Amino acid sequence: MSTRNARGETLIDQAGPLHKSDGTLACPGYATSLLLDYRRKKVKAPAWRIKEWDYYLVNDDEFAVALTLSDLGYAGLVSVSVIDFAKAAYKTTSVVTPFPLGRFRLPETSGSGVSAFENARASLRFEAADGTRRLRALFRRFDGDEDLSFDAVLDSEPQDSMVIATPWAEDPLAFYYNQKIVGMRAQGSLKKGQLVHGFAPDNSFGLLDWGRGVWTRDNTWFWAVAQGWQGDGDAPRRVGLNLGYGFGDTSAASENMAFVGGVASKLGRVDFGIPEKRPGARKVADRYDLMAPWNVTDDEGRLNLTFTPLLDRIDYMDFKLIRSDQHQVFGTFDGTVVLDDGSTLAIENLKGSAEVIHNVY
């Protein structure tokens, strides 16, 4: 079911079940497609601990729209964000529902099926079939009295994606099964009040963060993703980045990849190099100077990027027993990445985000 890559990471290269009969992961490691089958009924943890989510982001050089549909067991979160790059501004509106416990019936695979939610305030629907994804959202009173509507189609899915199956050393039933599809072609439209914006397929991109898992109670993770055209001349290349760490026992594999023309190059361990203000501070914003440039590097000398922040999308709540401290920083990446074939990819003004999230629940 697996082999070892040159740095000793486990590459999942055959299809099979995600879990063994005892509820532990069958094969911790990484892949470039969704080879292992997730089945909710095979998860041994109680329903309130199971977390399932679909997160889509569509962006061009002017705007980004982020859509989240998640069943966190004890709570359901439905969220839409609009990011205005020119104004360095954002608006996020969410609906929280108590104890869905699987009632959202999110698909057990990323490649097909429908993820949907609807109440009097919001309606989200994601349809995946035959390599095409249709995203639709309607949010009443999204921004004051302004309603929001969004409709987009994603296609031209890359050959490779980032897939990782990660356990936790301290809890054999905890796991994180995740796929990041970066650099799909997107086209669609956004309407918010008097704002109308079209996402044209020649310069608009879509990504999916698809995840299923059972987590331990207290976790901090770091995730960066970027997508867009790179290179001058008549043949620019579609480029994507997926970088992350801090979540679970990643001794079998990291989730770090660069994508060029839909083909993945696997990277080693990374560090985001975020300037620190008060090391050890409890709140993310107190510890890190998030709006200063970040120096993103790896342990093999293949990654050397500067992330220049534009805006910090903040979501913070503290109910003592439940705490979420989220900072998703949008900006641009510049620098170089050495690909698996030994060539150097120059990155210039590539739009993306880099986040630090601390959740206790």
Side-chain angles (χ1 to χ4, degrees), residues 34-39 54 56 106-115 128 133 177 179 208 210 212:
L34 203 69
L35 291 174
L36 302 182
D37 289 333
Y38 167 78
R39 295 290 181 263
D54 296 356
Y56 283 95
L106 298 183
E108 294 183 321
T109 180
S110 66
S112 62
V114 176
S115 301
R133 301 171 188 273
Y177 190 43
Q179 182 180 35
L208 168 64
W210 180 93
R212 307 292 185 260

Side-chain angles (χ1 to χ4, degrees), residues 28-323:
Y30 80 96
T32 56
S33 62
L34 203 69
L35 291 174
L36 302 182
D37 289 333
Y38 167 78
R39 295 290 181 263
R40 183 182 174 95
K41 66 182 180 181
K42 292 188 176 182
V43 177
K44 299 299 185 181
W48 61 267
R49 290 191 62 195
I50 300 175
K51 295 170 174 51
E52 302 176 327
W53 70 92
D54 296 356
Y55 167 88
Y56 283 95
L57 183 134
V58 172
N59 76 274
D60 58 15
D61 289 335
E62 299 178 70
F63 287 91
V65 177
L67 310 170
T68 302
L69 179 52
S70 60
D71 179 342
L72 303 177
Y74 57 84
L77 175 66
V78 179
S79 179
V80 177
S81 295
V82 175
I83 297 94
D84 184 331
F85 294 127
K87 294 181 179 179
Y90 72 92
K91 174 63 179 177
T92 298
T93 304
S94 303
V95 169
V96 178
T97 65
F99 301 106
L101 300 172
R103 289 195 301 272
F104 285 7
R105 299 189 181 280
L106 298 183
E108 294 183 321
T109 180
S110 66
S112 62
V114 176
S115 301
F117 172 88
E118 184 171 5
N119 69 4
R121 182 85 184 278
S123 172
L124 268 68
R125 185 176 180 87
F126 310 148
E127 301 176 38
D130 301 321
T132 298
R133 301 171 188 273
R134 178 76 180 271
L135 315 178
R136 284 176 285 187
L138 174 64
F139 217 117
R140 298 171 181 85
R141 304 184 309 282
F142 174 79
D143 189 356
D145 293 331
E146 295 182 343
D147 295 341
L148 174 142
S149 62
F150 177 72
D151 195 330
V153 173
L154 310 184
D155 57 19
S156 297
E157 187 168 312
Q159 167 189 312
D160 293 337
S161 60
M162 191 295 300
V163 178
I164 193 163
T166 300
W168 268 262
E170 62 270 34
D171 184 347
L173 298 182
F175 71 96
Y176 171 56
Y177 190 43
N178 182 227
Q179 182 180 35
K180 307 273 181 39
I181 304 174
V182 183
M184 291 178 278
R185 182 176 65 174
Q187 56 183 323
S189 62
L190 161 70
K191 185 176 188 301
K192 184 181 81 73
Q194 298 301 309
L195 169 66
V196 178
H197 180 75
F199 291 94
D202 58 343
N203 69 345
S204 300
F205 303 88
L207 65 87
L208 168 64
D209 172 8
W210 180 93
R212 307 292 185 260
V214 172
W215 305 346
T216 54
R217 175 167 166 74
D218 191 333
N219 290 282
T220 298
W221 72 82
F222 302 78
W223 176 44
V225 64
Q227 55 188 2
W229 296 115
Q230 290 288 284
D232 298 324
D234 297 328
R237 296 190 287 180
R238 190 180 296 262
V239 168
L241 297 172
N242 185 84
L243 309 170
Y245 61 101
F247 202 51
D249 176 6
T250 59
S251 58
S254 75
E255 66 173 85
N256 303 312
M257 292 184 183
F259 303 93
V260 179
V263 178
S265 284
K266 185 69 176 68
L267 302 171
R269 309 288 165 170
V270 303
D271 184 271
F272 282 4
I274 312 170
E276 290 195 78
K277 297 188 294 187
R278 289 170 50 198
R282 181 186 183 197
K283 294 182 66 174
V284 171
D286 291 338
R287 176 173 179 176
Y288 296 108
D289 187 358
L290 295 167
M291 295 305 292
W294 305 13
N295 182 28
V296 184
T297 57
D298 73 325
D299 62 352
E300 299 177 324
R302 295 175 55 186
L303 184 71
N304 187 4
L305 299 173
T306 297
F307 175 64
T308 304
L310 175 67
L311 65 94
D312 180 8
R313 190 179 74 86
I314 302 168
D315 195 353
Y316 182 81
M317 66 176 185
D318 187 352
F319 300 122
K320 306 308 178 187
L321 291 177
I322 297 174
R323 187 165 72 252

